[in-house]
Amino acid sequence: MSNESPSSLGAPHAGAPSGQGAVQLENVTKRYGDVTAIEDLDLRVEDGEFLTLLGPSGCGKTTTLRLIGGFEAPNRGVIRIGGDDMSSRPAYKRPVNTVFQQYALFPHLSVSRNIGYGLKHAGTGREETARRVDEMMHLMQIPDVGDRRPRELSGGQQQRVALARALVMNPEVLLLDEPLGSLDYKLRKDMQFELKRIHREVGVTFIYVTHDQEEAMTMSDRIVVMSKGHIEQDATPAEIFDRPLTAFVADFIGDTNIVHGVVTRAEKGHATVDLGPLGEIGGSTDDNVAPGDRVRVSIRPTDVRVETGPSGGAVVQDSVLVGGHIAMKITSGGETVVAHVGRGTSFEPGSDVRLHVDSDRIRVFAADQPEAAAEQPAADQA
Ligand code: ATP
């Protein structure tokens, strides 16, 4: 870790030469005994980007982070930071720093000393350490707690101290492994916006790991959705939500209905599907589907419109208030569909209804793709 130059907020940090990206993984494989945690992973993180690795437990997110940080060595492949091959560079010599869920502050040291700990060890002078610690406490909006011990802080404040401790070392890349995991819901939401602000102000490359899709959508410039040690989709939050590449991604990102049907018409990038009692529906597709193929269709609950009968066999099973909207569970011809409707437009359980779906977010997937619910760690597949 560098100790030569003072941290200058807002100033460009010593990033990668342009065109190389901050971090690159090329064909990286990591095995633990029989378990393949990640396989042939290619990933490129741009300088100054907020990139999130998102996926269910066991998909290989933390392993990827630990490989970048140098806490694990790959079995195969190359990891570059700022264009340099990291193969023979141990963790403490890499231009990265890590913030973990368990922030592990030193309980006997004051906040200022916790933040300045790494600088002191790196031989930074007293005055400069004091200035950089102070700068960090202002950035984290905890300017007045320098003399307190960690136990005298709230969970959110402790996490800010952990962030300050990592950023004060001026890393090129900050790795964040579920750093908000131990905070309660409200604090987590606040900290998500805080992290976004801090990222904007320091301009450091952030690589963030979470299994919480809402968190990923809120903060990231780009999301890499992982499953079973490989990448399912690598795109902006909006693209991932509106145009999931696979049924797995559609199912994992936000609420969706996955219903089954048969293709009646197909042209490049678009298919019309017969959903039986739910009628015919058109949707975009990146799969090679043809008339007669059985497919699965992803329909967001917000895209389902519910109207009074004649029923066509659609019956409301349940209707519950979820925050600002009503979630209605409706069955039709053996399929269950969830619709999110406004408070004034709900129907009582037992009502006969008619469903309309009309949205350019409808996605059609070949039937052989796994869904997120079927996800298992790579080791359990054999
Ligand atoms: P979580 O969200 O639960 O932390 P993850 O997506 O970060 O999951 P990893 O921790 O990267 O997943 O684990 C990927 C796979 O590698 C899992 O099957 C896990 O059990 C296995 N694994 C991870 N670390 C080890 C280890 N030290 N020894 C053996 N297997 C491991």
Side-chain angles (χ1 to χ4, degrees), residues 252-271:
F252 194 73
I253 302 286
D255 293 317
T256 201
N257 296 288
I258 302 279
V259 293
H260 301 81
V262 176
V263 175
T264 53
R265 269 199 317 277
E267 56 210 55
K268 200 174 171 350
H270 191 272

Side-chain angles (χ1 to χ4, degrees), residues 30-38 53-66 72 177-178 209-211 226 228-229 376-380:
K30 176 65 187 173
R31 294 197 185 86
Y32 298 101
D34 294 342
V35 179
T36 301
I38 62 166
L53 302 174
L54 172 69
S57 183
C59 73
K61 311 178 291 290
T62 297
T63 299
T64 306
L65 210 68
R66 290 177 63 78
E72 304 282 357
D177 193 357
E178 307 241 9
V209 158
T210 183
H211 60 267
M226 294 180 68
K228 299 174 188 166
Q376 292 292 325
D380 302 339

Side-chain angles (χ1 to χ4, degrees), residues 202-347:
V202 295
V204 168
T205 306
F206 277 26
I207 306 181
Y208 192 94
V209 158
T210 183
H211 60 267
D212 180 339
Q213 50 93 12
E214 205 181 307
E215 190 160 289
M217 300 291 277
T218 306
M219 293 191 293
S220 321
D221 297 320
R222 189 154 58 97
I223 299 176
V224 171
V225 183
M226 294 180 68
S227 152
K228 299 174 188 166
H230 73 271
I231 294 175
E232 285 276 323
Q233 189 165 4
D234 174 346
T236 63
E239 270 177 272
I240 286 202
F241 188 79
D242 292 340
R243 210 177 160 86
L245 260 191
T246 64
F248 175 88
V249 176
D251 209 18
F252 194 73
I253 302 286
D255 293 317
T256 201
N257 296 288
I258 302 279
V259 293
H260 301 81
V262 176
V263 175
T264 53
R265 269 199 317 277
E267 56 210 55
K268 200 174 171 350
H270 191 272
T272 306
V273 181
D274 180 2
L275 295 176
L278 290 176
E280 269 204 339
I281 195 168
S284 63
T285 185
D286 286 297
D287 292 345
N288 198 7
V289 296
D293 285 357
R294 284 197 62 75
V295 288
R296 278 169 308 164
V297 178
S298 161
I299 305 169
R300 300 280 179 206
T302 42
D303 293 332
V304 181
R305 221 168 62 234
V306 188
E307 294 176 351
T308 0
S311 80
V315 179
V316 177
Q317 300 298 325
D318 215 346
S319 176
V320 288
L321 177 64
V322 188
H325 66 265
I326 307 258
M328 295 170 66
K329 200 182 263 185
I330 297 151
T331 50
S332 178
E335 296 274 14
T336 300
V337 173
V338 174
H340 290 174
V341 300
R343 282 182 169 197
T345 52
S346 164
F347 292 86

